[in-house]
Amino acid sequence: MFHFFLGQISKETEQPAIRDNAILWGKYFPLWYGIVPIPIFVSQNLSLMYEKKIPLPLECGLTMTKEILGGKWKPNLLLAISLGIKRPSDLQRAIPHSTKRVLNLQLKELEEFRVITKQIYHQLPPKVEYFLTDIGESLLPILKSMDDWGNRNRAVIEAVIINRNAAETEEH
Amino acid sequence: MFHFFLGQISKETEQPAIRDNAILWGKYFPLWYGIVPIPIFVSQNLSLMYEKKIPLPLECGLTMTKEILGGKWKPNLLLAISLGIKRPSDLQRAIPHSTKRVLNLQLKELEEFRVITKQIYHQLPPKVEYFLTDIGESLLPILKSMDDWGNRNRAVIEAVIINRNAAETEEH
DNA sequence: CAGTATCCGACAAGATACTG
DNA sequence: CAGTATCTTGTCGGATACTG
């Protein structure tokens, strides 16, 4: 089953805390799983903890995963690395629509999240290689199923996009 | 296995077309699967077909899936609908950080991609319900595994984000 | 309740030129 | 080859106020 926190997450322990029913049954939790109220995707506290201009509701596992796979090329980078493409220049050749700058930014973020590691060889010319960590490997099934799904539904998606663009050009 | 197109996709048939080895072995395809060159994530033709200011390389299944799950709340919406939350107002209550406008935009896109259907009851007050299509249902395993992964790796991700924010506030 | 119009700010990513 | 600095552009989503 999906994993949801009940109620808000207390700041001190960072553990989910079941709030009393009076509040659970209030206006913030209009949904029930059987007789259990389900405050899905909810937790004001946490989004205040991680201060950002536009706060992220991190309490939902879904949202945390999206945080990691969010960049324009991150899933592609991970797949490419898993295929044995390790060096920055090869990665950019494998993803031709990307730019060096963005690829570097996203590789840095993936490294920050411990999804990949960076191996620097101090040579001339310099050489760098990226590798998946165990965490990164554990993402591969998801990426693989996303890739499979996209390929299975290619026809529908392409049709919609072609339609959309046709409508847009008609407007102008 | 991952599903990659070899070479470019011809405009007329929209079928993958194997290009001759001279080009495959050129600088654009530096990767091999066994002795087969793998032009992953590549296809200039397609990205020109779907004209956008910033063209999308749609030839990769991964990228197509991201196109559908890309919005800020789309995965959450799909999960919520799969849990039986059907009405717009309930959906917004289930995703408190969202706004009506964005939710509507994203529901419209999901509908456009045939992932959900919209049922309008002509009543007063008006009533609307959303349902997953078969295509939408087929996305649930992916969403579920993303949610699971996020929950399993919650500790690491939260630690990184807390660190990052601490470093940022230190700067100022 | 469901949905839209308008305006605006934040941020991601592109372009280019540059170091070591 | 790997990486960065700087500037510009596009776009997504937020805020608000409004219809039916």
Side-chain angles (χ1 to χ4, degrees):
Chain A
M1 262 311 291
F2 299 120
H3 177 194
F4 295 123
F5 283 123
L6 290 182
Q8 298 188 331
I9 296 178
S10 63
K11 262 191 177 175
E12 296 75 20
T13 64
E14 291 183 14
Q15 290 299 317
I18 310 285
R19 306 184 63 185
D20 64 290
N21 281 355
I23 299 179
L24 283 174
W25 247 255
K27 61 177 177 175
Y28 296 109
F29 307 106
L31 310 160
W32 290 264
Y33 180 69
I35 57 160
V36 183
I38 307 178
I40 43 171
F41 319 131
V42 178
S43 175
Q44 277 94 343
N45 271 357
L46 253 186
S47 56
L48 290 178
M49 278 181 61
Y50 310 115
E51 290 191 63
K52 277 196 102 175
K53 302 271 165 63
I54 299 171
L56 280 175
L58 285 176
E59 68 287 356
C60 171
L62 200 54
T63 311
M64 306 190 87
T65 308
K66 270 182 49 188
E67 174 78 9
I68 286 188
L69 298 180
K72 184 163 188 180
W73 302 114
K74 284 190 203 148
N76 307 62
L77 282 171
L78 292 177
L79 265 192
I81 294 174
S82 82
L83 289 173
I85 309 170
K86 304 171 186 170
R87 302 187 57 178
S89 49
D90 288 335
L91 286 168
Q92 208 200 332
R93 267 190 287 272
I95 310 177
H97 298 285
S98 65
T99 62
K100 217 175 8 171
R101 194 184 77 92
V102 172
L103 244 44
N104 261 325
L105 283 174
Q106 310 213 336
L107 286 166
K108 207 174 282 182
E109 282 186 50
L110 289 173
E111 196 191 355
E112 192 185 7
F113 278 111
R114 317 274 193 276
V115 173
I116 59 175
T117 55
K118 180 179 189 175
Q119 175 70 252
I120 304 177
Y121 302 92
H122 295 282
Q123 310 173 348
L124 275 182
K127 177 179 173 182
V128 167
E129 286 184 337
Y130 291 97
F131 301 92
L132 294 180
T133 63
D134 289 346
I135 302 179
E137 298 271 356
S138 70
L139 271 169
L140 290 182
I142 297 177
L143 299 176
K144 177 175 170 355
S145 55
M146 286 179 64
D147 190 58
D148 288 344
W149 191 93
N151 284 317
R152 276 202 308 277
N153 297 277
R154 177 179 302 277
V156 178
I157 304 173
E158 287 188 354
V160 172
I161 293 185
I162 289 173
N163 259 327
R164 178 195 286 174
N165 289 343
E168 272 177 15
T169 45
E170 216 163 273
E171 287 172 19
H172 313 309
Chain B
M1 260 311 290
F2 299 119
H3 176 194
F4 294 121
F5 283 121
L6 289 179
Q8 297 186 331
I9 295 181
S10 64
K11 260 191 181 175
E12 297 75 19
T13 63
E14 290 183 12
Q15 290 300 317
I18 310 284
R19 306 185 62 184
D20 64 289
N21 280 354
I23 300 178
L24 283 173
W25 247 255
K27 61 176 178 176
Y28 296 109
F29 305 105
L31 310 161
W32 292 262
Y33 179 69
I35 58 161
V36 182
I38 306 180
I40 41 169
F41 320 129
V42 179
S43 173
Q44 276 96 344
N45 272 356
L46 254 187
S47 56
L48 290 177
M49 278 181 63
Y50 312 113
E51 290 192 62
K52 277 195 100 173
K53 302 271 167 61
I54 299 170
L56 279 176
L58 286 175
E59 69 289 352
C60 171
L62 199 54
T63 312
M64 307 191 88
T65 307
K66 269 182 47 185
E67 174 77 8
I68 286 187
L69 298 181
K72 184 162 187 181
W73 301 114
K74 285 189 202 151
N76 307 63
L77 281 171
L78 292 177
L79 266 191
I81 294 175
S82 82
L83 289 173
I85 309 170
K86 303 170 187 171
R87 303 186 56 177
S89 49
D90 287 335
L91 286 168
Q92 207 199 332
R93 265 191 288 272
I95 310 177
H97 298 285
S98 64
T99 63
K100 217 174 9 169
R101 193 184 79 92
V102 173
L103 244 43
N104 261 324
L105 283 174
Q106 310 213 336
L107 285 167
K108 206 174 283 183
E109 282 187 51
L110 289 173
E111 197 191 353
E112 192 185 7
F113 277 112
R114 317 274 195 275
V115 172
I116 59 176
T117 56
K118 179 179 188 174
Q119 175 71 251
I120 304 178
Y121 302 92
H122 294 284
Q123 309 174 349
L124 275 181
K127 178 177 173 183
V128 166
E129 288 184 337
Y130 291 96
F131 300 92
L132 294 180
T133 64
D134 289 347
I135 302 179
E137 298 271 357
S138 70
L139 271 170
L140 290 182
I142 297 177
L143 299 177
K144 178 175 167 359
S145 55
M146 285 177 66
D147 189 58
D148 287 344
W149 191 92
N151 284 318
R152 277 202 308 277
N153 295 277
R154 178 180 300 276
V156 179
I157 304 173
E158 286 188 355
V160 172
I161 293 184
I162 290 173
N163 258 329
R164 177 197 287 175
N165 289 342
E168 271 176 16
T169 46
E170 214 162 276
E171 285 173 17
H172 314 309

